[in-house]
Amino acid sequence: MPDILSAPLVVEFPFTRSLGPVQSAFLTGLRERTVLGVRTSDGSVLVPPVEYDPKTAEEIRDLVEVAPTGTVTTWAWNPAPRRGQPLATPFAWVLVRLDGADSALLHALDAPGPDAVRTGMAVRIRWAAERTGAITDIACFEPGEGQPDTRARPHSGQFAEAVTGITAPARLDYTYSPGRAQTRYLDALAGHRTIGERCPACRKVYVPPRGACPTCGVPTDEQTEVGPKGTVTTFCIVNIKAKNLDIEVPYVYAHIALDGADLALHGRIAGIPADKVRMGLRVEPVWAEDGRYPDHYRPTGEPDADYDSYKELL
Amino acid sequence: MTRDQRYPREIAIVAFAQTDHTRSSAELSEVEMLMPVLRQVLGQTGLHTGEIDFTCSGSSDYLAGRAFSFTMALDGVGAWPPISESHVEMDGAWALYEAWVKILTGEAETALVYAFGKSSPGELRDVLSRQLDPYYVAPLWPDSVALAALQARTLIDAGETDERALAGIAARSRTAAQDNPHAQLRGSAAPDVLLEADHLVQPLRIHDTPPVSDGAAAVVLAAGDTARRLTDRPAWILGLDHRIEAHSLGVRDLTDSPSTRLAAERAGLFETGVDTAELHAPFTAQEIVLRKALRLDDTVRINPSGGALAANPVMAAGLIRLGEAAARISRGDSDRAVAHATSGPCLQQNLVAVLEGEAQ
Ligand SMILES: [Zn+2]
């Protein structure tokens, strides 16, 4: 058993989201150092605000302004901040009920240590120097006296140049490992060989192998070399150039049944005019120098395969 | 009330299998990890893949970092020629719920439910933060341990537990797991020793948190006489229900789980006693919340398998609770059991099943 392959895999995506009227008012308000909540039908004030009452599911739009000061309702000391979290130095996660609100907001509290934090302590917002209309416009909370008499005041929710959307970038780091069957396949490809795996029940040879027969649901553990020659079972002519692709159009993309395989894999056909490619064409792989997979397939010059020999593989 | 009156059909869990859960299964692809479990669970019933009426799975693409990762796993169930199949991007307990409904409606007699999770490729604490509210919460990247720590603090502040009691829950669970050959953490130091460790996120220490696990599980469901034919002692589903809390943590009372209580009520738990509970409480403090919501007293054996504190393959750990409870009934170690599954931060979604074996 060769060592299992593994490689770093980074998934990064900027999620662009549009905001409804309530979220837009709240996030625009943060940009203007104003904290808005929403009043529910039973009169309680939710901060951060939501568009539907969590108890009745009624649509709610009654915006109010609350204070930038509040009370910690629960906390957790985080001695080792992780990437993306609000502060790079140890801090407390806190739920804070802002003065005038009845629900609590999750954020970070900048404090010297866990002994300086307690449930019920008074805190105030520390605003970010640059604000864009995002929850991170609150840089964090810091200890500070509250305004216990503060009541929520009606607010129109209207601001100049309202924020209507946010972009939330996400990045997750993985170590990808393809497992036993695909490691064997990739290792063989590195030696310019193609291996499939045979199902012990139906005897079909799968390529690329994934370790299981999708028909029988049993492991495919008998390796067998297939190809290198094969037969075009079907194909299409690509006329539109994809972004960042340095292959000239038109080109032919085909399903190729390698000799000895019971499943066609796909590849590009070159070395023949696109309009001369046909079902049954016999082809062989062309490897680029140091290539870990065939760059393309080209005609072998053999007579075309008989239709009956590949009709089950279409 | 008998099980015949609550629902139109009798349905039981008739088989259960799981992997040995490990910190990393990097040598195996998901389908390679899953396949022995599928073989085992079908082997217990003598059914072949082609004889299953409905197949449903639970998993999450975010664990592996690949889109549609569940389709690869389908190779393990013999999905050709085409089968009746579905997938939930949730713990497999919710896949079991879908399969149960499928059988209740008469669309199927048998169902295969499986779930898998490989936590090892990514940083699980960060990965799970991507399931949070994307507007107000996810941009702050609060990790799963931090959110559980906030919940633990509310319980301590309310006088419902303390750090020593939480260490006791960890020690009891992992000591119970000594009898579970599939568990990842088996055995524990005494609570006093556990309390000497530094906090991970205060008030939680490493023992208050679940291990990071790779693993898979599968169950077979069957209706009525089919269930009686497939196994000697079916674990009949007396009731099954799931409920959800408001998504904003700041509007919830984190010391309580009204969704669990409501699901339990609808599943009929409060009409009947149980001798065993398999609770999906990945963090020690969550067991306190669940015991209260489910009204479990000291006569009920809690998590004899060790629970999620002993092995926590994300997306399978809830289904395993149902499977462990059913297996105890099948073995004759329990006559009536409650199984609970959760998903999301701080017990966001909760599923409750009441299972019963026929008189012995
Ligand atoms: Zn086969």
Side-chain angles (χ1 to χ4, degrees):
Chain A
M1 189 69 221
D3 286 344
I4 297 298
L5 294 173
S6 76
L9 169 70
V10 177
V11 178
E12 266 184 299
F13 45 95
F15 248 125
T16 306
R17 299 174 185 277
S18 46
L19 303 172
V22 170
Q23 290 172 320
S24 170
F26 175 69
L27 293 178
T28 308
L30 294 185
R31 191 190 65 195
E32 308 303 325
R33 303 186 193 219
T34 299
V35 187
L36 299 185
V38 69
R39 199 182 294 277
T40 65
S41 43
D42 71 2
S44 47
V45 172
L46 303 184
V47 179
V50 292
E51 291 158 327
Y52 295 90
D53 189 314
K55 284 186 190 140
T56 65
E58 245 182 304
E59 191 171 354
I60 43 180
R61 291 285 182 277
D62 186 8
L63 294 170
V64 292
E65 182 178 353
V66 299
T69 56
T71 305
V72 170
T73 62
T74 186
W75 61 282
W77 184 255
N78 181 20
R82 304 169 74 81
R83 184 175 64 206
Q85 295 182 345
L87 294 168
T89 50
F91 66 90
W93 288 107
V94 281
L95 281 169
V96 175
R97 189 175 59 239
L98 291 171
D99 295 319
D102 298 297
S103 71
L105 171 86
L106 179 78
H107 220 295
L109 170 67
D110 190 5
D115 293 341
V117 186
R118 60 181 175 79
T119 299
M121 76 185 284
V123 294
R124 63 172 171 240
I125 289 175
R126 179 191 297 166
W127 295 103
E130 289 190 21
R131 297 179 307 283
T132 59
I135 191 68
T136 46
D137 288 354
I138 298 175
C140 62
F141 283 87
E142 59 191 23
E145 276 314 298
Q147 302 166 15
D149 295 332
T150 305
R151 304 267 289 272
R153 299 190 306 273
H155 193 285
S156 69
Q158 301 296 315
F159 298 95
E161 293 172 66
V163 176
T164 56
I166 59 166
T167 302
R171 175 193 164 118
L172 293 169
D173 287 58
Y174 298 92
T175 302
Y176 179 67
S177 179
R180 287 175 185 154
Q182 293 193 80
T183 288
R184 286 190 289 259
Y185 175 73
L186 293 168
D187 280 341
L189 276 184
H192 292 194
R193 296 182 306 117
T194 302
I195 60 163
E197 291 190 354
R198 191 184 303 279
C199 172
C202 68
R203 309 301 294 162
K204 279 190 174 160
V205 172
Y206 290 94
V207 57
R210 293 212 291 259
C213 172
T215 305
C216 307
V218 297
T220 56
D221 48 8
E222 178 193 333
Q223 288 84 48
T224 174
E225 190 162 341
V226 297
K229 292 178 186 175
T231 300
V232 171
T233 62
T234 185
F235 65 95
C236 64
I237 299 174
V238 179
N239 287 293
I240 296 173
K241 196 172 161 68
K243 210 164 128 185
N244 302 327
L245 190 70
D246 59 359
I247 297 168
E248 288 308 313
V249 293
Y251 66 89
V252 177
Y253 180 77
H255 276 190
I256 300 152
L258 294 179
D259 294 348
D262 291 292
L263 195 72
L265 45 68
H266 49 78
R268 185 168 60 89
I269 308 292
I272 178 174
D275 62 357
K276 301 292 184 214
V277 174
R278 55 202 180 266
M279 290 170 74
L281 181 70
R282 295 285 293 159
V283 293
E284 63 189 2
V286 178
W287 300 79
E289 204 165 326
D290 300 330
R292 291 186 66 95
Y293 51 89
D295 177 71
H296 64 273
Y297 291 77
R298 71 181 171 210
T300 62
E302 294 167 287
D304 284 4
D306 185 51
Y307 178 70
D308 283 342
S309 72
Y310 63 85
K311 69 178 182 188
E312 299 296 329
L313 303 178
L314 287 174
Chain B
M1 174 176 276
T2 74
R3 57 181 178 270
D4 308 78
Q5 289 168 324
R6 184 177 291 273
Y7 303 114
R9 303 186 82 185
E10 295 179 297
I11 301 169
I13 295 175
V14 297
F16 168 56
Q18 60 183 319
T19 54
D20 291 343
H21 309 298
T22 59
R23 175 62 185 87
S24 173
S25 61
E27 74 283 6
L28 299 174
S29 68
E30 282 141 329
V31 67
E32 288 168 342
M33 179 176 76
L34 182 59
M35 206 142 26
V37 171
L38 295 170
R39 296 283 97 196
Q40 273 179 45
V41 81
L42 290 171
Q44 288 174 30
T45 61
L47 291 170
H48 298 285
T49 48
E51 296 170 300
I52 295 285
D53 295 331
F54 181 60
T55 299
C56 198
S57 61
S59 69
S60 172
D61 286 351
Y62 277 73
L63 293 173
R66 279 179 303 140
F68 294 99
S69 59
F70 77 92
T71 60
M72 298 292 196
L74 273 179
D75 284 350
V77 297
W80 179 266
I83 60 170
S84 173
E85 186 272 338
S86 183
H87 173 260
V88 298
E89 190 80 5
M90 282 284 274
D91 188 289
W94 277 263
L96 184 147
Y97 185 89
E98 181 175 338
W100 176 74
V101 170
K102 193 87 167 177
I103 297 176
L104 270 187
T105 59
E107 297 278 311
E109 279 291 303
T110 56
L112 171 65
V113 179
Y114 64 89
F116 58 92
K118 283 177 59 126
S119 305
S120 60
E123 282 288 335
L124 187 62
R125 287 171 68 178
D126 301 332
V127 169
L128 291 177
S129 76
R130 299 303 88 193
Q131 72 185 330
L132 302 167
D133 164 8
Y135 301 97
Y136 301 156
V137 181
L140 306 174
W141 290 85
D143 59 278
S144 46
V145 178
L147 296 176
L150 290 170
Q151 184 169 35
R153 171 67 61 196
T154 61
L155 286 155
I156 292 170
D157 284 345
E160 297 199 28
T161 190
D162 55 31
E163 293 183 23
R164 179 168 302 274
L166 297 181
I169 290 171
R172 191 209 74 232
S173 299
R174 286 164 183 157
T175 302
Q178 274 173 333
D179 297 329
N180 178 355
H182 304 287
Q184 184 177 342
L185 299 184
R186 301 166 65 192
S188 169
D192 283 346
V193 178
L194 296 177
L195 287 168
E196 290 169 10
D198 289 338
H199 287 104
L200 197 57
V201 178
Q202 192 176 334
L204 300 185
R205 296 180 178 81
I206 186 83
H207 65 256
D208 293 303
T209 69
V212 177
S213 314
D214 288 0
V219 306
V220 174
L221 297 178
D225 289 343
T226 306
R228 292 186 180 87
R229 180 168 57 78
L230 292 175
T231 186
D232 292 338
R233 196 171 194 238
W236 298 105
I237 298 174
L238 278 186
L240 182 56
D241 200 283
H242 65 98
R243 301 283 159 163
I244 183 172
E245 315 262 331
H247 74 260
S248 177
L249 288 175
V251 303
R252 291 170 49 191
D253 172 3
L254 296 177
T255 67
D256 198 5
S257 184
S259 58
T260 299
R261 185 177 299 110
L262 183 56
E265 185 190 321
R266 299 302 171 99
L269 175 65
F270 303 136
E271 297 161 27
T272 179
V274 292
D275 54 50
T276 303
E278 277 287 339
L279 306 181
H280 187 191
F283 296 92
T284 49
Q286 294 175 345
E287 184 180 301
I288 310 272
V289 178
L290 293 171
R291 274 176 183 260
K292 185 170 63 172
L294 296 171
R295 301 178 199 159
L296 301 176
D297 61 26
D298 291 342
T299 65
V300 179
R301 179 110 198 259
I302 309 281
N303 285 349
S305 68
L309 286 165
N312 190 40
V314 175
M315 298 296 143
L319 180 64
I320 290 169
R321 304 281 72 76
L322 286 134
E324 288 280 8
R328 282 186 79 76
I329 287 172
S330 294
R331 288 197 303 266
D333 294 341
S334 166
D335 290 325
R336 200 178 289 139
V338 59
H340 159 269
T342 194
S343 188
C346 301
L347 304 172
Q348 183 86 48
Q349 295 110 17
N350 296 285
L351 177 148
V352 176
V354 182
L355 305 173
E356 182 188 60
E358 264 151 28
Q360 300 182 71

